[in-house]
């Protein structure tokens, strides 16, 4: 379509919508999964007038998601689609002079993603690179003449004429990972690409990974992250390094913290680097939270700006004037935008019962962000003088016909006195003072939190006629480090107390019908579902996704060996601990709850064995059960029809046991 015609149509579209008859509202349903788009990776142009972003939509014919690139003006008045191909495009970046937009795509039958260049004035994109291996990251130099790249070492395992893959040869401590599969030798390294000559220079080599490159403002150096310990598989140590951006240069280590240092960001004057650092210094850091730190470009002792906050911070971004650093802070069901001065003073820039997930500086006092609330999926906003101003309206058409659940927070008290923050979803137009069938849908992690954002799964469950409860059990973040670390080496204990405490609360308040309680979750949410139904028989139905129970059997078949040996000890040394944490399987005869088990066929995070074992145990015991395996799926279910199928099966299972036919 001619671009000028497109802009005219976009300008007229608000006038057309005004004349339309209001759409009759209806409950959200599982097929709406196909209508929901996903907005990501916003980038501001050098002149601050335009924002690019990726927009993922469902191709129902191919049963997959496809990402195209769009652009919106800073005033929010103009929206332009930049790409529209079946291959998809991602990682759009403005060239430093603002004349071009680069992106990554495997167009024209390419087997590897390549960088393409598109003139902002129009015309077809042109392929810039001809890479023979996987491009992990890329970033323009300040003068626009070079591009720093992170490239994965080539894999020659299937180069034979027959295309039959050679056997996996594994000798690493960490030998498997979800999505990546079995891990042989191979690292990711830094390269510098000359845009004019198309010459690619190698900066780093060896058996180490280098990630997160960022250019110094003068373009002479790159800061990056690497784990240079003797065996990186056995710890989570990372440090910040700098290297001159030329072949043969020697890297310099800036940080020496035994924990993790990540996300380096140069100050505008090039004198400092902001980054996030782990609170703890151990080899295993799951129950940790990052702290905002600043260090001189020459190294030395860092300043820990957010150490006293006791909340996780992420996405550090220097303000344009270099006097403050913007961050996203997770705090008790919210994620807000904060701003630190260099002497450690924090100011909340934008907060409330909503969640900010991206942050980019624009001008003095202005930020670009992605924000969601319980009634609205993520949209782009400008933050000016602390006030969010909406830029995109991607989800207006999605939301127009929908009647969504009401969402509110509440605090419950567990048996041992712990105060727990929760989120309650009530069906739209739910009758007042009527007890409802209730599903406790438990988040994974465990180090995560349920927040005041748009939650599709819980909205769909609520539309099925259920009150839905999200419990931020101990182990969740957003409540401080001690709250997160409370479950260390003690799984299925305090978390279950917290779930049962929330259950008692909604029953006592007359929200939940005590005879129609269900529970479910995915990943650690599935694990906690198993722990809970093995502890308390009040739940009449359960849906355990990607979970495990016989923890002893997980050693060596999932990706968490380092965690197990650090947190629990080796199984042959601390067998009693492993058996204690395996109680849902070893005491499966206590379970009376009909349970649906689900898993992804290729999941190396929590392998299917965890679900298969529990399914077999309940099947042998005569407890109603069913096992669903999603073909070709990893830990996250990505095929749209499988996502719909999962919701449909949740509702069918819970309806069967929580909604008697007489209702």
């Amino acid at each position: 379509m001619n671009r000028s015609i497109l802009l005219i149509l976009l300008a007229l579209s608000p006038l057309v919508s005004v004349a339309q008859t209001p759409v009759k509202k209806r409950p959200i349903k599982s097929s709406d999964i196909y209508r929901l788009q996903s907005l990501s990776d916003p980038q501001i142009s050098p002149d601050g007038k335009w924002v690019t972003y990726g927009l993922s939509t469902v191709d129902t014919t191919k049963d997959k998601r496809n990402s195209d690139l769009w652009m919106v003006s800073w005033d929010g008045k103009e929206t332009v689609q930049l790409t529209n191909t079946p291959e998809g495009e991602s990682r759009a970046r403005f060239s430093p002079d603002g004349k071009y937009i680069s992106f990554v795509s495997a167009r024209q039958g390419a087997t590897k993603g390549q960088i393409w260049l598109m003139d902002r004035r129009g015309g077809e994109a042109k392929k810039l690179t001809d890479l023979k291996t996987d491009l992990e990251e890329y970033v323009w130099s300040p003068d626009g003449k070079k591009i720093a790249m992170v490239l994965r070492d080539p894999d020659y395992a299937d180069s034979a004429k027959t295309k039959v893959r050679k056997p996996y040869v594994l000798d690493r401590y960490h030998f498997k990972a979800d999505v990546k599969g079995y891990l042989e030798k191979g690292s990711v390294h830094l390269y510098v690409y000359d845009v004019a000559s198309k010459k690619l220079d190698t900066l780093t080599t060896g058996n180490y990974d280098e990630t997160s490159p960022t250019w110094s403002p003068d373009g002479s150096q790159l800061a990056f992250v690497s784990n240079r310990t003797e065996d990186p598989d056995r710890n989570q140590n990372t440090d910040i390094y700098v290297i001159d951006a030329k072949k043969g240069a020697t890297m310099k280590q800036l940080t020496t913290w035994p924990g993790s240092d990540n996300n380096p960001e140069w100050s505008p004057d090039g004198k400092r680097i902001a980054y996030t650092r782990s609170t703890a210094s151990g080899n295993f850091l799951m129950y940790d939270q990052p702290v905002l730190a600043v260090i001189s470009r020459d190294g030395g002792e860092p300043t820990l700006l957010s150490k006293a906050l006791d909340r996780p911070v992420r996405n550090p971004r220097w303000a344009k004037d270099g006097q403050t650093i913007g961050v996203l802070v997770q705090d008790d069901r919210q994620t807000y935008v904060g701003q630190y001065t260099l002497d450690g003073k924090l100011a909340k820039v934008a907060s409330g019962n909503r969640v900010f997930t991206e942050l980019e500086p624009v001008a003095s006092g202005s930020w670009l962000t992605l924000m969601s609330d319980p009634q609205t999926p993520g949209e782009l906003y400008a933050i000016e003088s602390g006030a969010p101003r909406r830029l995109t309206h991607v989800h207006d058409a999605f939301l127009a016909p929908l009647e969504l659940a009401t969402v509110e927070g509440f605090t419950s008290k567990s048996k041992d006195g712990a105060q727990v923050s929760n989120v309650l979803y009530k069906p739209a137009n739910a009758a007042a003072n009527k007890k409802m069938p209730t599903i406790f849908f438990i988040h994974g992690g465990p180090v995560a939190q349920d927040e005041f954002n748009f939650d599709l799964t819980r909205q769909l469950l609520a539309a099925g006629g259920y009150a839905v409860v999200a419990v931020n059990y101990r182990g969740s973040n957003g409540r401080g480090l001690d709250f997160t670390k409370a479950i260390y080496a003690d799984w299925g204990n305090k978390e279950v107390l917290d779930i049962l405490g929330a259950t008692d609360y909604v029953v006592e308040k007359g929200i939940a019908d005590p005879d129609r309680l269900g529970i479910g979750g995915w990943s650690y949410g599935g694990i906690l579902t198993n722990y809970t139904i093995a502890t308390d028989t009040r739940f009449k139905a359960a849906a355990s996704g990607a979970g495990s129970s016989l923890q002893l059997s997980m050693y060596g078949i999932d990706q968490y060996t380092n965690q197990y040996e650090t947190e629990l000890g080796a199984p042959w040394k601390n067998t009693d601990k492993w058996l204690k944490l395996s109680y849902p399987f070893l005491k499966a005869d206590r379970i009376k709850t009909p349970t649906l088990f689900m898993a992804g066929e290729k999941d190396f995070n929590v392998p299917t064995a965890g679900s298969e074992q529990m399914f077999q145990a309940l099947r042998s015991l005569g407890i109603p059960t069913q096992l669903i395996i999603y073909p070709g799926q990893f830990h996250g279910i990505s095929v749209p029809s499988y996502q719909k199928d999962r919701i449909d099966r949740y509702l069918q299972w819970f309806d069967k046991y929580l909604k008697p036919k007489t209702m």
Side-chain angles (χ1 to χ4, degrees):
M1 180 181 288
N2 182 283
R3 184 173 180 270
S4 60
I5 296 175
L6 174 64
L7 293 177
I8 292 170
L9 290 175
L10 288 167
L12 290 175
S13 60
L15 300 177
V16 175
S17 63
V18 170
Q20 290 178 342
T21 303
V23 179
K24 184 179 180 180
K25 300 287 187 178
R26 61 168 175 82
I28 192 171
K29 55 188 179 182
S30 63
S31 60
D32 286 316
I33 288 173
Y34 297 132
R35 298 196 307 117
L36 181 61
Q37 302 177 90
S38 178
L39 193 155
S40 64
D41 195 21
Q43 300 289 319
I44 189 77
S45 63
D47 61 9
K49 295 181 179 179
W50 290 91
V51 178
T52 61
Y53 57 94
L55 189 63
S56 171
T57 58
V58 174
D59 182 333
T60 54
T61 302
K62 296 182 178 180
D63 201 8
K64 69 174 187 178
R65 283 194 166 270
N66 185 68
S67 177
D68 290 307
L69 302 178
W70 290 68
M71 188 164 64
V72 62
S73 58
W74 182 245
D75 61 12
K77 295 179 180 179
E78 254 190 294
T79 302
V80 181
Q81 183 168 2
L82 298 174
T83 67
N84 183 18
T85 68
E87 295 88 357
E89 295 81 25
S90 63
R91 290 181 274 179
R93 300 291 182 268
F94 286 97
S95 61
D97 60 9
K99 294 181 179 179
Y100 297 92
I101 295 173
S102 61
F103 59 87
V104 177
S105 179
R107 292 178 167 193
Q108 300 178 357
T111 57
K112 303 292 182 183
Q114 305 294 336
I115 298 177
W116 294 70
L117 280 186
M118 174 187 296
D119 193 316
R120 280 185 61 188
R121 295 169 296 182
E124 288 295 321
K126 297 180 180 179
K127 186 160 68 95
L128 177 65
T129 62
D130 189 21
L131 303 171
K132 307 302 181 185
T133 186
D134 294 328
L135 173 66
E136 304 282 332
E137 303 174 66
Y138 80 98
V139 58
W140 286 89
S141 65
D143 63 6
K145 295 180 179 180
K146 297 179 179 180
I147 298 176
M149 299 181 183
V150 176
L151 299 177
R152 184 164 293 280
D153 289 343
D155 181 3
Y156 301 107
D158 58 357
S159 59
K161 293 180 180 179
T162 61
K163 294 298 179 182
V164 174
R165 198 201 188 282
K166 296 178 182 178
Y168 293 101
V169 180
L170 306 168
D171 58 9
R172 294 178 56 172
Y173 175 80
H174 180 55
F175 69 93
K176 63 194 308 187
D178 195 39
V179 181
K180 294 179 180 179
Y182 289 107
L183 304 177
E184 297 179 284
K185 297 297 184 184
S187 304
V188 293
H189 297 300
L190 288 183
Y191 297 80
V192 171
Y193 181 86
D194 187 281
V195 175
S197 68
K198 297 191 175 183
K199 182 183 178 183
L200 187 67
D201 285 333
T202 303
L203 292 189
T204 62
T205 59
N207 293 324
Y208 305 98
D209 292 336
E210 292 86 35
T211 62
S212 307
T214 179
W215 289 90
S216 60
D218 63 7
S220 66
Q221 289 187 310
L222 285 162
F224 63 93
V225 174
S226 187
N227 182 340
R228 294 269 159 169
T229 59
E230 184 177 350
D231 187 353
D233 283 352
R234 291 179 177 268
N235 62 74
Q236 293 178 271
N237 171 250
T238 51
D239 283 297
I240 310 296
Y241 293 79
V242 293
I243 190 171
D244 289 342
K246 58 185 179 181
K247 188 175 181 179
T250 301
M251 66 178 65
K252 177 184 178 181
Q253 183 175 346
L254 291 189
T255 63
T256 57
W257 181 242
S260 65
D261 301 301
N262 294 295
N263 308 304
E265 291 286 331
W266 291 86
S267 61
D269 62 8
K271 294 181 179 180
R272 303 177 181 89
I273 294 175
Y275 64 99
T276 55
R277 168 178 141 166
S278 65
T279 304
S281 60
N283 288 338
F284 171 66
L285 302 168
M286 176 179 283
Y287 306 102
D288 197 79
Q289 56 189 23
V291 172
L292 176 63
V294 176
I295 195 170
S296 166
R297 68 174 297 164
D298 298 318
E301 190 65 25
T303 301
L304 305 181
L305 297 181
S306 70
K307 186 176 182 180
L309 181 64
D310 195 24
R311 291 293 185 272
V313 301
R314 55 187 176 85
N315 283 61
R317 296 290 188 271
W318 288 89
K320 289 292 186 180
D321 61 8
Q323 300 303 304
T324 58
I325 303 170
V327 290
L328 299 178
V329 182
Q330 288 187 288
D331 181 27
D332 196 7
R333 295 164 290 183
Q334 301 178 2
T335 297
Y336 65 82
V337 178
Q339 199 163 323
Y340 270 97
T341 59
L342 297 182
D343 59 0
K345 295 179 181 178
L346 172 65
K348 283 188 179 182
V349 176
S351 59
N353 285 346
R354 48 196 176 181
V355 172
F356 298 87
T357 54
E358 298 282 351
L359 191 64
E360 296 294 337
V362 180
S364 179
S366 298
W367 300 88
L368 169 66
T369 189
L370 182 65
M371 187 186 83
S372 169
D373 63 46
Q375 306 295 322
T376 315
E379 297 276 7
L380 291 182
Y381 289 78
I383 299 179
E384 297 168 319
S385 302
R389 173 174 58 82
R390 189 165 172 176
L391 298 180
T392 60
H393 292 266
V394 167
H395 299 108
D396 284 1
F398 171 79
L399 294 170
L402 301 182
E403 198 172 44
L404 296 175
T406 60
V407 181
E408 60 189 77
F410 72 93
T411 302
S412 59
K413 188 174 183 179
S414 302
K415 189 176 180 180
D416 61 357
Q419 298 288 323
V420 178
S421 300
N422 314 286
V423 183
L424 172 66
Y425 295 72
K426 290 183 179 180
N429 301 317
N433 303 319
K434 182 179 179 181
K435 296 178 180 179
M436 292 177 285
T438 302
I439 298 171
F440 293 79
F441 200 80
I442 311 303
H443 73 70
V447 184
Q449 68 165 349
D450 284 313
E451 302 177 306
F452 291 113
N453 61 347
F454 185 81
D455 190 302
L456 180 62
T457 297
R458 293 184 176 90
Q459 284 285 351
L460 286 165
L461 293 175
Y466 295 94
V468 183
V469 180
V471 182
N472 282 314
Y473 52 85
R474 276 169 284 186
S476 305
N477 60 16
R479 292 281 306 283
L481 199 55
D482 288 344
F483 192 88
T484 301
K485 292 168 61 178
I487 68 170
Y488 186 90
D490 188 25
W491 311 338
N493 178 16
K494 296 182 179 70
E495 315 99 297
V496 173
L497 291 179
D498 296 341
I499 292 170
L500 296 180
T503 307
D504 292 338
Y505 178 94
V506 292
V507 168
E508 290 168 3
K509 294 296 182 181
I511 298 167
D513 184 337
D515 296 322
R516 293 185 291 160
L517 301 176
I519 187 170
W522 198 266
S523 191
Y524 202 75
I527 292 171
L528 283 184
T529 295
N530 299 345
Y531 277 125
T532 304
I533 61 176
T535 302
D536 196 306
T537 59
R538 76 175 83 177
F539 298 93
K540 301 301 188 290
S544 172
S548 63
S549 291
L550 183 55
Q551 310 304 351
L552 185 62
S553 69
M554 293 292 105
Y555 183 92
I557 71 167
D558 66 16
Q559 61 185 23
Y560 295 108
T561 305
N562 185 45
Q563 174 183 359
Y564 293 148
E565 293 194 1
T566 305
E567 187 174 351
L568 307 182
W572 48 91
K573 291 183 178 180
N574 204 14
T575 309
D576 288 346
K577 168 64 74 175
W578 284 80
L579 293 177
K580 180 181 178 181
L581 300 185
S582 299
Y583 75 77
F585 181 83
L586 297 178
K587 298 179 180 180
D589 54 348
R590 296 182 177 181
I591 298 174
K592 307 302 178 186
T593 305
T595 305
L596 175 68
F597 295 98
M598 296 177 166
E601 180 189 24
K602 294 185 176 181
D603 189 347
F604 273 6
N605 188 316
V606 186
T608 57
S611 297
E612 292 168 346
Q613 290 165 346
M614 286 301 291
F615 163 73
Q616 188 64 69
L618 296 198
R619 192 72 183 82
S620 298
L621 290 164
I623 302 298
T625 186
Q626 195 174 63
L627 175 65
I628 310 299
I629 304 293
Y630 289 104
Q633 297 298 283
F634 303 111
H635 193 59
I637 303 301
S638 60
V639 174
S641 66
Y642 292 165
Q643 294 173 343
K644 178 181 181 300
D645 179 89
R646 178 168 55 176
I647 290 295
D648 289 338
R649 291 184 187 277
Y650 283 156
L651 289 170
Q652 290 163 10
W653 191 262
F654 287 122
D655 286 354
K656 181 177 180 179
Y657 295 100
L658 303 185
K659 292 183 177 180
K661 293 180 180 179
T662 55
M663 289 182 61

